Amino acid sequence: MILYYSSRSPLSSLVTLTTCAQFSPNKTPCGKVGKVTPPSDHSRVDPDVSNRSSSESLAPGLSCSCGRRVFVKAAATSLLPIYPANASDSPSNYTAMLKKIHPPRPDWYEEFYASVLDTSMKSYEDEIAGYKSELFANLRGKARKVLEIGIGTGPNLRYYAVDDVVQVFGVDPNSKMEKYATAAAVEAGLPVPNFKFIQAVGEALPLADASVDAIVGTLVLCSVKDVDLTLKEVKRVLKPGGLYLFVEHVAAKEGTTLRFIQSILDPLQQTLADGCHLTRETGKHISDAGFSNLKFSMAFLSSASLINPHIYGIACK
């Protein structure tokens, strides 16, 4: 989550820098990731994958030679495996982690934060819409079961609605986000049975191993308590060959005026914005997480002010 700064940034134009991170040669490459091109205008689901070929891609131009596993019938027929397999066989483990990482807050605070988030991000979402459209297009017709971590008020749900067979599970520690996310799903045209909200944290996802085709996270790694553990959970829950789509704001370059300002405001940001860090090196965490293939780009958004730069891209398990 982020605290949105509405003032215009000196970075009034949208600048993009393309980077590509390939991993250790000992890793089996997933092939080329579908191109994520900056826009010219800046302005119930069958989980059985046994009938898919091992080379089927979740993104255009991206294929994994690691193959796909056929999962036990219970996992394949259940709507949602409700506890993480890396914990003990009890839902109490992820709820315990929820209470530890996101201690219960007064209802008025959770509702206020959800309401502010729902109304304050309009200009940001308008500016980044082109980028998200290009990114989410990689899932269309391919990823039937999607988990979104830090779903918040559901600004991304409109990008799933174009595919009427996709099942979206939205995880967020703030239960007050549910009504906003559900309303966003309805407004986007996503069938009601195709969306489920789950109160949980990214560090303990309430899903079984290798149970989803894709995981999406936008503006979430800035505020999780443990970035590396969250990314470990992402990899655990993804099926072999599955995709992780991300959009995150990261620390500005060392030595810049923007980085200096971010360093000064970071403690205040964490207090007011539910743990959001302005100076977190999220890109490095993703690069070091051990995905077999990763490609991302960097952008400066004029509507985001101090919440710059952004990285957005796709990683393959």
Side-chain angles (χ1 to χ4, degrees):
M1 301 300 177
I2 71 168
L3 175 63
Y4 175 67
Y5 294 86
S6 60
S7 59
R8 296 285 293 182
S9 166
L11 304 166
S12 57
S13 60
L14 190 61
V15 182
T16 60
L17 304 172
T18 302
T19 62
C20 182
Q22 298 293 337
F23 295 102
S24 166
N26 295 325
K27 298 284 186 180
T28 301
C30 281
K32 294 183 179 180
V33 176
K35 186 177 181 182
V36 181
T37 307
S40 57
D41 180 16
H42 299 310
S43 9
R44 224 160 267 232
V45 177
D46 178 11
D48 185 9
V49 298
S50 60
N51 61 343
R52 298 181 188 176
S53 68
S54 62
S55 62
E56 180 177 348
S57 172
L58 289 179
L62 189 154
S63 61
C64 268
S65 58
C66 50
R68 296 183 181 276
R69 292 180 294 193
V70 179
F71 304 106
V72 294
K73 184 177 181 180
T77 57
S78 61
L79 179 62
L80 178 70
I82 201 64
Y83 56 84
N86 66 338
S88 67
D89 295 346
S90 170
S92 63
N93 290 279
Y94 81 82
T95 55
M97 184 69 86
L98 169 64
K99 292 178 181 178
K100 178 181 178 181
I101 293 178
H102 189 83
R105 294 162 168 82
D107 279 354
W108 70 264
Y109 174 82
E110 298 278 64
E111 175 60 39
F112 174 75
Y113 189 79
S115 176
V116 169
L117 196 66
D118 188 53
T119 57
S120 66
M121 300 292 289
K122 302 299 185 183
S123 60
Y124 171 86
E125 290 296 338
D126 287 344
E127 184 172 5
I128 204 168
Y131 291 87
K132 285 187 176 182
S133 294
E134 294 270 352
L135 199 59
F136 279 82
N138 290 284
L139 303 183
R140 197 166 301 154
K142 303 292 183 178
R144 291 189 169 188
K145 197 170 185 180
V146 179
L147 168 68
E148 181 166 340
I149 54 175
I151 193 165
T153 59
N156 295 328
L157 289 168
R158 55 178 167 163
Y159 301 106
Y160 305 113
V162 294
D163 193 338
D164 59 6
V165 299
V166 68
Q167 180 94 39
V168 182
F169 302 105
V171 167
D172 201 282
N174 184 347
S175 63
K176 300 301 182 181
M177 299 289 186
E178 181 174 8
K179 68 178 181 180
Y180 295 100
T182 301
V186 171
E187 183 179 354
L190 189 69
V192 174
N194 289 20
F195 175 67
K196 182 176 179 62
F197 181 94
I198 310 162
Q199 187 182 15
V201 292
E203 292 89 342
L205 297 172
L207 282 81
D209 294 358
S211 57
V212 298
D213 299 307
I215 294 180
V216 174
T218 63
L219 302 182
V220 61
L221 293 184
C222 59
S223 58
V224 299
K225 291 288 186 182
D226 190 324
V227 180
D228 294 331
L229 180 56
T230 299
L231 290 170
K232 184 177 179 181
E233 281 288 273
V234 166
K235 291 183 64 184
R236 178 184 68 78
V237 172
L238 272 176
K239 294 176 182 179
L243 295 181
Y244 169 46
L245 274 63
F246 56 89
V247 178
E248 300 286 351
H249 69 86
V250 298
K253 185 178 179 181
E254 285 281 4
T256 62
T257 300
L258 180 56
R259 179 58 178 268
F260 175 75
I261 296 174
Q262 288 175 341
S263 299
I264 296 297
L265 295 179
D266 200 26
L268 178 63
Q269 175 79 356
Q270 292 178 46
T271 300
L272 298 179
D274 210 17
C276 172
H277 294 68
L278 291 174
T279 58
R280 186 166 275 180
E281 302 281 357
T282 304
K284 184 178 186 303
H285 286 280
I286 296 175
S287 295
D288 293 343
F291 289 100
S292 61
N293 186 278
L294 168 66
K295 186 173 183 179
F296 64 88
S297 297
M298 183 176 289
F300 286 89
L301 303 179
S302 61
S303 61
S305 187
L306 301 179
I307 314 298
N308 269 306
H310 278 56
I311 57 172
Y312 60 100
I314 308 175
C316 176
K317 178 176 176 180

